Amino acid sequence: MNHLPLIIKREYLTKVKNKSFIIMTFLSPLIFITFIAVIAYLTQLNNDKVKVISVLDDSGLVRHVFKSTEHTAYNNLEGMSLNDAKALVQESEGYGLLYISKVSEGPIKSKNVTFYSEESPSITLISAIENKIQTELTLQNRIHEGIDVEKLEASKVQIEINQESFKGEKTSKVDSVVKLIFGGAAGYLLFMFIIIYGNMIMRSVIEEKTSRIIEVIISSVKPVQLMLGKIIGTSLAGISQFVIWIILGGVLMTVASFVLGVDLAQMQTPQQQMVEQAMATPEINSEIQNIVTAFFNLPLLNLITAFILFFICGYLLYSSLYAAIGAAVDNETDTQQFMLPILMPLVLAVYIGIFTVIEDPHGTVSTVFSFIPFTSPVVMLMRIPFGVPIWQQVVSLIILIGTFMFTVWFAAKIYRVGILMYGKKPSYKELIKWIKY
Amino acid sequence: MNNLLEVNNVSKYFGDFKALNNVSVSIPKGSIFGLLGPNGAGKTTLIRIVNQITMPDAGSVVLDGEALSQKHIMDIGYLPEERGLYKSMKVGEQAIYLAQLKGLSKAEAKKRLKYWFERLEIGDWWNKKIQELSKGMAQKIQFVVTVLHEPKLLIFDEPFSGFDPINANLIKDEILRLRENGATVIFSTHRMESVEELCDDIALIHKSNKILDGKLVDVKRQFKINTFEVGIRSNNQLELEKEISEKFSVSKANFKTLEDELKLNIKINPGENPNDLLNYLTQKGEVSHFVELIPSVNDIFIQAVNNS
């Protein structure tokens, strides 16, 4: 008799009807979006405050480059002693005082420029001011040395290297960034999925043990069926939750942007800025176009197939281990000693993915780890956008499936014995013994 | 085929530990079979093997003439000692789910559940969650779930634990009724008085071995102690006691009577006719009490376990 659909249905419905699951599903995106919105709002609020900076340029060489902008107001002081200026700025509660001392001969040097302020000034502001002075002084120097500035500008050349594989596939820097994002997202998604729903499976096995219903159930169904039913049912609940999160997150994001007048999508984190610098291209239009072409340049069909296969196998591999742990222990506090060996390869995979794959997607380290079954789902998913030969993917998948079948067998053994064991805190030695039962 | 279940030379090892050693039992169709033994003797292992939860390392199990296989799951109803229900699931939903696992259709399960819930007067629990019910209430539901698919073989492990005397009686009557309707019952318990009351056959397992089995009456006959409880009135009771003690092995008896009689347990030799004893006694005085002492299951249990 095949009870699998029945078990899956029960597991799914119990999970989905659970109050805390429902609350988590609907509250998480709300909390998350609110969080982002508040941060964005606060940042904007901060930026809205105009910084008043007084400039006392005794050299008279650069004072004209400080023009007030939306966020910074420059206030030129003239014919004042430094002490008077300091007192004035302090009194008027200005942001700070930029002082350039008189230069008797030669160019302005670093020691001639000082910024006085109540608190330490922001780094971006200081670099902006440095930039302004440098540019102006360089220009003045060039004129002074009789260099034709216009010719100098005109002689500048900008090069962007075309990248092409031997097979004739064209890539660019933008491509790399898009690949990175895709691979990273896929790998990270799998990582999160395993941790969240693996734990859920484990808890549900423990619940069956502590409520002592297990013996009633397995007098009707085979333990392996029960275990697989649990894994599949919980995963389906997980997928439902993920889909709701994405939809709800999108809707809330749009609503929040309207209400707060903050364009959340435009909010930039330092990482995003780095990414943008990496793909800085002269025209914005071509930038978007580049991203679109980069997207279509991805081995999409391969990516999607590989994503589905590696995701499923990788997830099942780990979740069967979680189920086995749940079966081996009596309560959640006893799970600690078994969690570490599961989490280690997983965390390792993510770090390898982030640090090695980005640097060298086809290097020895990334290649080796994309074959080792416990790291391969994450690492391979991160590598694939960069183009991995099909044979490598197939071999890695075969190894993964082989290991997956082994762990399911192994987990089922532990599960079968473990679910009927009470009151013992099992050791690894004990678990090995169970396999022989 | 008179036996519904035949367990033939079954052995089971857990690592180096021998849980069952070459155990054979036969359970006649329509009987209530008491499976007895001290804690850790191997009863639960045997029951789990019959339920195909664990596989035997050696030996075979035959149910109703066929080697035990996956399809027999719906022929067996099992109420384990370690039992429980999903705490956060509703009673009705849960009962239907468990019935479906035993192969009933949803509609059929619902119909039968309605019948049983009415019968046990628990109809208004349908939409309650298990965690809202008391232990005894949950036990009732478990009992219903065990018998719902009308299996040929019912296995009850300590079925009365957690029940008050009234409900225990109710369940006992239901078990007897199920037997009348053709079910065979395996009954594992430490309550010897209920074995005495319900069981037709018993088997005693001790330290992984079966040390005793058969019809309850036969077992009792086997453990017959040839001892009679006697009350006798006489003018000189001390003299009489001395006289009897010289002829038979005698011990003090303890039972209630109206007069102050001489009360003795008198053992005769196996094969001797009790009438001879009675004749002898009637010559000595007025016999008011003459009963053969039959060993209780409790006595048999203790004796058998201690002797082995």
Side-chain angles (χ1 to χ4, degrees), chain A residues 1 3 6-7 9-11 14 17-19 207-208 210-223 226 230 416 420-422 433 436-437, chain B residues 12-15 44 48 51-55 70-71 73-74 78 80 82-89 93-94 97-98 100-103 106 129 142:
Chain A
M1 247 174 309
H3 293 309
L6 202 60
I7 299 167
K9 193 177 139 201
R10 194 205 83 87
E11 291 297 329
T14 326
K17 280 195 212 156
N18 184 294
K19 274 200 194 84
E207 188 218 328
E208 241 161 36
T210 48
S211 71
R212 314 260 151 156
I213 194 174
I214 193 72
E215 203 167 341
V216 178
I217 301 279
I218 57 166
S219 67
S220 310
V221 299
K222 284 188 169 169
L226 181 63
K230 263 187 184 311
R416 207 168 53 100
L420 292 172
M421 292 274 180
Y422 289 108
K433 230 166 74 188
K436 296 180 200 146
Y437 282 5
Chain B
K12 176 75 192 174
Y13 296 84
F14 292 116
T44 306
R48 281 180 183 166
N51 273 299
Q52 304 176 66
I53 291 172
T54 15
M55 296 300 135
Q70 204 61 34
K71 67 166 188 178
I73 274 175
M74 50 188 306
Y78 175 35
E82 292 285 1
R83 50 187 175 247
L85 293 162
Y86 289 114
K87 288 199 171 55
S88 53
M89 225 175 154
E93 256 172 48
Q94 178 149 218
Y97 171 65
L98 293 172
Q100 279 179 299
L101 288 185
K102 284 288 188 189
K106 197 171 178 175
K129 285 185 178 173
Q142 258 154 352

Coordinates of all heavy atoms in Angstrom, one line a residue, chain A residues 1 3 6-7 9-11 14 17-19 207-208 210-223 226 230 416 420-422 433 436-437, chain B residues 12-15 44 48 51-55 70-71 73-74 78 80 82-89 93-94 97-98 100-103 106 129 142:
Chain A
M1 N 0.8 -1.2 0.0 CA 0.0 0.0 0.0 C 0.9 1.3 0.0 O 1.8 1.3 0.8 CB -0.9 0.0 1.2 CG -2.3 -0.2 0.9 SD -3.3 -0.3 2.4 CE -2.4 -1.6 3.2
H3 N 1.2 4.8 1.0 CA 0.6 5.8 1.9 C 1.3 7.2 1.7 O 0.9 8.1 2.4 CB 0.7 5.4 3.3 CG -0.2 4.2 3.7 ND1 -1.5 4.2 3.3 CD2 0.1 3.1 4.3 CE1 -2.0 3.1 3.7 NE2 -1.1 2.4 4.3
L6 N -0.7 10.4 1.3 CA -1.5 10.7 2.5 C -0.6 11.3 3.5 O -1.0 12.3 4.1 CB -2.1 9.3 3.0 CG -3.3 9.4 3.9 CD1 -4.4 10.0 3.2 CD2 -3.6 8.0 4.4
I7 N 0.6 10.8 3.7 CA 1.5 11.3 4.7 C 1.9 12.8 4.3 O 1.9 13.7 5.1 CB 2.7 10.4 4.9 CG1 2.3 9.1 5.3 CG2 3.7 11.0 5.8 CD1 3.3 8.0 5.3
K9 N 0.3 14.8 2.5 CA -0.8 15.7 2.6 C -0.9 16.2 4.1 O -1.1 17.3 4.4 CB -2.1 15.0 2.2 CG -3.3 16.0 2.0 CD -4.5 15.2 1.4 CE -5.7 15.7 2.1 NZ -6.8 14.7 2.1
R10 N -0.8 15.2 5.0 CA -1.0 15.5 6.4 C 0.1 16.4 6.9 O -0.1 17.4 7.5 CB -1.0 14.3 7.3 CG -1.5 14.5 8.7 CD -0.9 13.5 9.7 NE 0.4 13.9 10.1 CZ 0.7 14.7 11.1 NH1 -0.3 15.2 11.8 NH2 1.9 15.0 11.5
E11 N 1.4 16.1 6.5 CA 2.5 16.9 6.9 C 2.3 18.3 6.4 O 2.5 19.3 7.1 CB 3.8 16.3 6.4 CG 4.2 15.0 7.0 CD 4.5 15.2 8.5 OE1 4.9 16.2 9.0 OE2 4.2 14.2 9.3
T14 N -0.6 20.1 8.2 CA -0.3 20.4 9.6 C 0.6 21.6 9.7 O 0.4 22.5 10.5 CB 0.4 19.2 10.3 OG1 -0.2 18.1 9.8 CG2 0.2 19.3 11.8
K17 N -1.3 24.8 8.5 CA -2.3 25.3 9.4 C -1.8 25.8 10.7 O -2.5 26.4 11.5 CB -3.3 24.2 9.6 CG -4.3 24.0 8.5 CD -5.4 23.1 9.0 CE -6.1 22.3 8.0 NZ -6.7 21.1 8.6
N18 N -0.5 25.5 11.0 CA 0.1 25.8 12.3 C 0.1 27.3 12.4 O 0.5 28.1 11.5 CB 1.5 25.3 12.3 CG 2.2 25.5 13.6 OD1 2.5 26.7 14.0 ND2 2.4 24.5 14.3
K19 N -0.3 27.8 13.6 CA -0.5 29.2 13.8 C 0.9 30.0 13.6 O 0.9 31.0 13.0 CB -1.0 29.5 15.2 CG -2.5 29.5 15.2 CD -3.1 30.2 16.5 CE -4.5 29.8 16.7 NZ -4.7 28.6 17.4
E207 N 8.7 15.7 17.5 CA 7.4 15.8 18.0 C 6.7 14.5 18.0 O 6.0 14.1 19.0 CB 6.6 16.9 17.2 CG 5.2 17.2 17.8 CD 4.2 17.3 16.7 OE1 4.5 17.8 15.6 OE2 3.0 17.0 17.0
E208 N 6.8 13.8 16.9 CA 6.2 12.5 16.8 C 6.7 11.5 17.8 O 6.0 10.7 18.4 CB 6.5 11.9 15.4 CG 5.2 11.6 14.6 CD 5.5 11.5 13.2 OE1 6.5 11.0 12.8 OE2 4.6 12.0 12.4
T210 N 8.1 12.5 20.9 CA 7.7 12.8 22.2 C 6.2 12.6 22.5 O 5.8 12.3 23.6 CB 8.0 14.3 22.5 OG1 7.6 15.1 21.5 CG2 9.5 14.5 22.7
S211 N 5.4 12.7 21.4 CA 3.9 12.5 21.6 C 3.6 11.0 21.6 O 2.5 10.6 21.7 CB 3.1 13.2 20.6 OG 3.3 12.6 19.3
R212 N 4.6 10.2 21.3 CA 4.5 8.7 21.3 C 3.5 8.2 20.3 O 3.0 7.1 20.5 CB 4.1 8.2 22.7 CG 4.9 8.8 23.8 CD 6.0 7.9 24.3 NE 7.1 8.7 24.9 CZ 7.9 8.2 25.8 NH1 7.9 7.0 26.1 NH2 8.9 9.0 26.2
I213 N 3.3 8.9 19.3 CA 2.4 8.4 18.3 C 3.1 7.5 17.3 O 2.5 6.7 16.6 CB 1.6 9.5 17.5 CG1 0.5 8.9 16.8 CG2 2.6 10.2 16.6 CD1 -0.4 9.9 16.1
I214 N 4.4 7.6 17.3 CA 5.2 6.9 16.3 C 5.0 5.4 16.1 O 4.9 5.0 15.0 CB 6.7 7.2 16.6 CG1 7.6 6.9 15.4 CG2 7.2 6.6 17.8 CD1 7.4 7.8 14.3
E215 N 4.8 4.7 17.2 CA 4.6 3.3 17.1 C 3.3 2.9 16.4 O 3.2 2.0 15.7 CB 4.8 2.6 18.5 CG 5.2 1.2 18.3 CD 5.6 0.5 19.6 OE1 5.9 1.3 20.6 OE2 5.6 -0.7 19.7
V216 N 2.3 3.8 16.7 CA 1.0 3.6 16.0 C 1.2 3.7 14.5 O 0.7 3.0 13.7 CB 0.0 4.5 16.6 CG1 -1.4 4.4 15.9 CG2 -0.2 4.4 18.1
I217 N 1.9 4.8 14.2 CA 2.0 5.1 12.7 C 2.8 4.0 12.0 O 2.4 3.5 11.0 CB 2.8 6.5 12.6 CG1 2.0 7.6 13.2 CG2 3.0 6.8 11.1 CD1 0.9 8.1 12.5
I218 N 4.0 3.6 12.6 CA 4.8 2.7 11.9 C 4.3 1.3 11.9 O 4.9 0.4 11.3 CB 6.3 2.8 12.2 CG1 6.5 2.5 13.7 CG2 6.9 4.1 11.8 CD1 7.9 2.2 14.0
S219 N 3.2 1.0 12.7 CA 2.6 -0.3 12.5 C 1.7 -0.3 11.3 O 1.2 -1.3 10.8 CB 1.7 -0.7 13.7 OG 0.6 0.2 13.9
S220 N 1.5 0.9 10.7 CA 0.8 1.0 9.4 C 1.6 1.3 8.2 O 1.3 0.9 7.1 CB -0.3 2.1 9.5 OG -1.1 2.0 10.6
V221 N 2.7 2.1 8.4 CA 3.5 2.5 7.2 C 5.0 2.2 7.5 O 5.4 2.1 8.7 CB 3.4 4.0 6.9 CG1 2.0 4.3 6.6 CG2 3.9 4.8 8.0
K222 N 5.7 2.0 6.5 CA 7.2 1.8 6.6 C 7.8 3.1 7.1 O 7.5 4.2 6.6 CB 7.8 1.3 5.3 CG 7.4 -0.1 5.0 CD 8.2 -0.6 3.8 CE 8.1 -2.0 3.6 NZ 8.6 -2.5 2.4
P223 N 8.8 3.0 8.0 CA 9.5 4.2 8.5 C 10.1 5.0 7.3 O 10.0 6.2 7.4 CB 10.6 3.6 9.3 CG 10.1 2.3 9.8 CD 9.3 1.8 8.7
L226 N 7.4 7.1 5.9 CA 7.1 8.2 6.8 C 8.1 9.3 6.7 O 7.8 10.5 6.7 CB 7.0 7.6 8.3 CG 6.6 8.6 9.3 CD1 5.2 9.2 9.1 CD2 6.7 8.0 10.7
K230 N 7.5 13.0 5.3 CA 7.8 14.2 6.2 C 8.6 15.2 5.4 O 8.3 16.4 5.4 CB 8.5 13.8 7.4 CG 7.6 13.6 8.6 CD 8.4 13.3 9.8 CE 7.5 13.1 10.9 NZ 6.4 14.0 11.1
R416 N 14.6 4.3 11.7 CA 13.8 3.1 12.0 C 14.1 2.7 13.4 O 13.2 2.3 14.2 CB 14.3 2.0 11.0 CG 13.2 0.9 10.7 CD 13.7 0.1 9.6 NE 15.0 -0.4 9.8 CZ 15.3 -1.6 10.2 NH1 14.3 -2.5 10.4 NH2 16.5 -2.1 10.4
L420 N 12.0 4.4 17.9 CA 11.5 3.6 19.0 C 12.4 3.6 20.2 O 12.1 2.8 21.2 CB 11.3 2.1 18.5 CG 10.2 2.0 17.4 CD1 10.2 0.6 16.8 CD2 8.9 2.3 18.0
M421 N 13.4 4.4 20.2 CA 14.3 4.4 21.4 C 14.0 5.6 22.2 O 14.0 6.8 21.7 CB 15.8 4.6 20.9 CG 16.3 3.4 20.2 SD 16.9 2.2 21.4 CE 17.4 0.9 20.2
Y422 N 13.8 5.4 23.5 CA 13.5 6.5 24.4 C 14.5 6.5 25.5 O 15.1 5.5 25.9 CB 12.1 6.4 25.0 CG 11.0 6.6 24.0 CD1 10.2 5.6 23.5 CD2 10.8 7.9 23.5 CE1 9.2 5.8 22.6 CE2 9.8 8.1 22.6 CZ 9.0 7.1 22.2 OH 8.0 7.3 21.3
K433 N 26.1 1.4 15.7 CA 25.5 0.1 16.1 C 24.1 -0.1 15.5 O 23.8 -1.2 15.1 CB 25.5 0.0 17.6 CG 26.1 -1.3 18.1 CD 26.4 -1.3 19.6 CE 25.2 -1.4 20.4 NZ 25.4 -1.2 21.9
K436 N 23.5 -1.7 12.2 CA 23.6 -3.2 12.0 C 22.4 -3.9 12.5 O 22.3 -5.1 12.3 CB 24.8 -3.6 12.8 CG 26.2 -3.1 12.3 CD 27.3 -3.6 13.2 CE 28.5 -2.8 13.1 NZ 29.3 -2.8 14.3
Y437 N 21.5 -3.2 13.1 CA 20.3 -3.9 13.6 C 19.4 -4.4 12.5 O 19.3 -3.7 11.5 CB 19.4 -2.9 14.5 CG 19.9 -2.7 15.9 CD1 21.1 -3.2 16.3 CD2 19.2 -1.9 16.8 CE1 21.6 -3.0 17.6 CE2 19.7 -1.7 18.0 CZ 20.9 -2.2 18.4 OH 21.4 -2.0 19.7
Chain B
K12 N 15.7 -12.8 17.5 CA 16.0 -11.4 17.1 C 17.2 -10.9 18.0 O 17.1 -11.1 19.2 CB 14.8 -10.5 17.4 CG 15.0 -9.0 17.1 CD 15.1 -8.7 15.7 CE 15.6 -7.3 15.4 NZ 15.8 -7.1 14.0
Y13 N 18.1 -10.3 17.3 CA 19.3 -9.8 18.1 C 19.3 -8.3 17.9 O 19.1 -7.8 16.8 CB 20.6 -10.4 17.5 CG 20.7 -11.9 17.7 CD1 20.2 -12.7 16.8 CD2 21.4 -12.4 18.8 CE1 20.3 -14.1 17.0 CE2 21.5 -13.7 19.0 CZ 20.9 -14.6 18.1 OH 21.1 -16.0 18.2
F14 N 19.7 -7.6 19.0 CA 20.1 -6.2 18.8 C 21.5 -6.1 19.2 O 21.9 -6.0 20.3 CB 19.2 -5.3 19.8 CG 17.8 -5.2 19.4 CD1 16.8 -5.7 20.2 CD2 17.4 -4.7 18.2 CE1 15.5 -5.7 19.9 CE2 16.1 -4.6 17.8 CZ 15.1 -5.1 18.6
G15 N 22.4 -6.0 18.2 CA 23.8 -6.0 18.4 C 24.1 -7.4 19.1 O 23.8 -8.4 18.5
T44 N 7.6 -7.0 23.9 CA 7.4 -5.9 22.9 C 8.1 -6.2 21.6 O 7.5 -5.9 20.5 CB 7.9 -4.6 23.5 OG1 7.2 -4.4 24.7 CG2 7.5 -3.4 22.6
R48 N 6.3 -6.3 18.1 CA 6.8 -5.5 17.0 C 7.1 -6.4 15.7 O 6.9 -5.9 14.6 CB 8.0 -4.7 17.4 CG 7.6 -3.5 18.2 CD 8.8 -2.7 18.6 NE 8.4 -1.6 19.5 CZ 9.2 -0.8 20.2 NH1 10.5 -1.1 20.2 NH2 8.7 0.1 21.0
N51 N 3.9 -7.1 14.1 CA 3.4 -5.8 13.4 C 4.3 -5.4 12.3 O 4.1 -4.3 11.7 CB 3.3 -4.7 14.4 CG 2.0 -4.7 15.1 OD1 1.0 -4.6 14.4 ND2 2.0 -4.9 16.4
Q52 N 5.4 -6.2 12.0 CA 6.4 -5.9 11.0 C 7.1 -4.5 11.2 O 7.5 -3.9 10.2 CB 5.7 -5.9 9.6 CG 5.0 -7.2 9.3 CD 4.3 -7.2 8.0 OE1 4.9 -7.1 6.9 NE2 3.0 -7.3 8.0
I53 N 7.2 -4.1 12.4 CA 7.9 -2.9 12.7 C 9.4 -3.3 12.8 O 10.2 -2.6 12.3 CB 7.5 -2.3 14.1 CG1 6.1 -1.8 14.0 CG2 8.4 -1.2 14.6 CD1 5.4 -1.3 15.3
T54 N 9.7 -4.4 13.4 CA 11.1 -5.0 13.3 C 11.0 -6.3 12.6 O 10.0 -7.0 12.6 CB 11.7 -5.2 14.7 OG1 10.7 -5.2 15.7 CG2 12.7 -4.2 15.0
M55 N 12.1 -6.6 11.9 CA 12.1 -7.9 11.2 C 12.9 -8.9 12.0 O 13.9 -8.6 12.6 CB 12.8 -7.7 9.8 CG 12.1 -6.8 8.9 SD 10.5 -7.4 8.5 CE 9.5 -5.9 8.7
Q70 N 3.5 -7.3 3.8 CA 3.0 -5.9 3.9 C 1.5 -5.8 3.9 O 0.9 -5.0 4.5 CB 3.6 -5.1 2.8 CG 3.7 -3.6 3.0 CD 4.6 -3.3 4.2 OE1 5.6 -4.0 4.5 NE2 4.2 -2.2 4.9
K71 N 0.8 -6.7 3.1 CA -0.6 -6.5 2.9 C -1.4 -6.9 4.2 O -2.6 -6.6 4.3 CB -1.1 -7.4 1.7 CG -1.0 -8.9 2.0 CD -1.8 -9.7 1.0 CE -1.8 -11.1 1.4 NZ -2.5 -12.0 0.6
I73 N -0.9 -5.7 7.0 CA -1.0 -4.5 7.9 C -2.5 -4.2 8.3 O -2.8 -3.9 9.4 CB -0.3 -3.3 7.3 CG1 1.2 -3.5 7.7 CG2 -0.8 -2.0 7.8 CD1 2.1 -2.4 7.0
M74 N -3.3 -4.3 7.3 CA -4.7 -3.9 7.6 C -5.5 -5.0 8.3 O -6.6 -4.8 8.7 CB -5.4 -3.5 6.3 CG -5.3 -4.4 5.1 SD -6.0 -3.6 3.6 CE -7.6 -3.2 4.2
Y78 N -3.2 -2.6 16.3 CA -2.2 -2.6 17.4 C -2.3 -1.4 18.3 O -2.3 -0.2 17.9 CB -0.8 -2.6 16.7 CG 0.4 -2.6 17.7 CD1 0.4 -3.1 18.9 CD2 1.6 -1.9 17.3 CE1 1.5 -3.1 19.8 CE2 2.7 -1.8 18.1 CZ 2.6 -2.4 19.4 OH 3.7 -2.4 20.2
P80 N -0.1 0.1 21.0 CA 1.1 -0.1 21.8 C 1.1 0.4 23.2 O 0.2 1.2 23.5 CB 2.1 0.7 20.9 CG 1.3 1.5 20.0 CD -0.1 1.1 20.1
E82 N 3.5 2.2 24.5 CA 4.0 3.6 24.3 C 3.1 4.2 23.3 O 3.3 4.1 22.1 CB 5.4 3.7 23.8 CG 6.4 3.2 24.8 CD 6.7 4.2 25.9 OE1 6.0 5.3 25.9 OE2 7.5 4.0 26.8
R83 N 2.0 4.9 23.7 CA 1.1 5.4 22.7 C 0.8 6.9 22.9 O 0.9 7.4 24.0 CB -0.2 4.6 22.7 CG -0.8 4.5 24.1 CD -2.0 3.5 24.0 NE -2.6 3.2 25.3 CZ -2.5 2.1 25.9 NH1 -1.9 1.1 25.3 NH2 -3.1 1.9 27.1
G84 N 0.4 7.5 21.8 CA 0.0 8.9 21.9 C -0.6 9.3 20.6 O -0.8 8.5 19.7
L85 N -1.0 10.6 20.5 CA -1.6 11.1 19.3 C -1.0 12.4 19.0 O -0.3 13.0 19.9 CB -3.1 11.2 19.5 CG -3.9 9.9 19.7 CD1 -5.3 10.2 20.3 CD2 -4.1 9.2 18.4
Y86 N -1.2 12.9 17.8 CA -0.7 14.2 17.5 C -1.4 15.2 18.4 O -2.6 15.4 18.3 CB -0.9 14.5 16.0 CG -0.1 13.7 15.1 CD1 -0.6 12.8 14.2 CD2 1.3 13.9 15.1 CE1 0.2 12.1 13.3 CE2 2.1 13.2 14.2 CZ 1.5 12.3 13.3 OH 2.3 11.6 12.5
K87 N -0.7 16.0 19.1 CA -1.3 16.8 20.1 C -2.1 18.0 19.6 O -3.1 18.3 20.1 CB -0.2 17.4 21.1 CG 0.3 16.4 22.0 CD 1.0 17.0 23.2 CE 1.4 15.9 24.2 NZ 2.2 14.8 23.7
S88 N -1.6 18.5 18.5 CA -2.3 19.7 18.0 C -3.2 19.4 16.8 O -3.7 20.3 16.2 CB -1.2 20.7 17.5 OG -0.3 20.1 16.6
M89 N -3.5 18.1 16.6 CA -4.5 17.8 15.5 C -5.8 17.5 16.2 O -5.9 17.1 17.3 CB -4.0 16.5 14.8 CG -4.0 16.6 13.4 SD -3.2 15.1 12.7 CE -4.1 15.0 11.2
E93 N -10.2 14.6 12.6 CA -9.2 14.6 11.5 C -8.1 13.5 11.7 O -7.8 12.7 10.8 CB -8.4 15.9 11.6 CG -8.8 16.9 10.5 CD -8.1 18.2 10.8 OE1 -6.9 18.2 11.0 OE2 -8.8 19.3 10.8
Q94 N -7.7 13.4 12.9 CA -6.6 12.5 13.3 C -7.1 11.1 13.2 O -6.4 10.2 12.6 CB -6.2 12.8 14.7 CG -5.2 11.9 15.3 CD -4.3 12.6 16.3 OE1 -3.1 12.4 16.3 NE2 -4.8 13.5 17.1
Y97 N -7.3 10.1 9.6 CA -6.0 9.9 9.0 C -5.4 8.6 9.4 O -4.9 7.8 8.5 CB -5.0 11.0 9.5 CG -3.6 10.9 9.2 CD1 -3.1 10.9 7.9 CD2 -2.6 10.6 10.2 CE1 -1.8 10.7 7.6 CE2 -1.3 10.5 9.9 CZ -0.9 10.5 8.6 OH 0.5 10.4 8.3
L98 N -5.5 8.2 10.7 CA -5.0 6.9 11.1 C -5.7 5.8 10.5 O -5.2 4.7 10.1 CB -5.0 6.9 12.6 CG -4.1 7.8 13.3 CD1 -4.3 7.8 14.8 CD2 -2.6 7.5 13.0
Q100 N -7.2 5.9 7.5 CA -6.8 5.9 6.1 C -5.4 5.1 6.0 O -5.2 4.4 5.0 CB -6.6 7.3 5.6 CG -8.0 7.9 5.2 CD -7.8 9.3 4.6 OE1 -7.4 10.1 5.3 NE2 -8.2 9.5 3.4
L101 N -4.5 5.3 6.9 CA -3.3 4.6 6.9 C -3.5 3.1 7.0 O -2.7 2.3 6.5 CB -2.4 5.1 8.0 CG -1.7 6.4 7.9 CD1 -0.8 6.7 9.1 CD2 -1.0 6.7 6.6
K102 N -4.6 2.7 7.6 CA -4.9 1.3 7.7 C -5.7 0.8 6.5 O -6.2 -0.3 6.5 CB -5.7 1.0 9.0 CG -4.8 0.9 10.2 CD -3.9 -0.3 10.2 CE -3.1 -0.4 11.6 NZ -2.1 -1.4 11.5
G103 N -5.9 1.7 5.5 CA -6.5 1.3 4.3 C -8.0 1.6 4.1 O -8.6 1.2 3.1
K106 N -11.9 7.4 3.1 CA -12.2 8.5 4.0 C -13.7 8.4 4.5 O -14.0 8.6 5.7 CB -12.0 9.9 3.3 CG -11.9 11.0 4.3 CD -11.4 12.3 3.6 CE -11.4 13.4 4.5 NZ -10.9 14.6 4.0
K129 N -9.0 19.4 20.1 CA -7.6 18.9 19.9 C -7.3 18.0 21.0 O -7.8 18.1 22.1 CB -6.7 20.1 19.9 CG -6.8 20.9 18.6 CD -5.8 22.0 18.6 CE -5.8 22.7 17.2 NZ -5.0 23.9 17.2
Q142 N -7.7 6.3 21.1 CA -6.8 5.3 20.6 C -7.3 3.9 20.5 O -7.1 3.2 19.5 CB -5.6 5.3 21.5 CG -4.5 6.1 21.0 CD -3.5 6.6 22.0 OE1 -3.8 6.5 23.2 NE2 -2.5 7.2 21.6

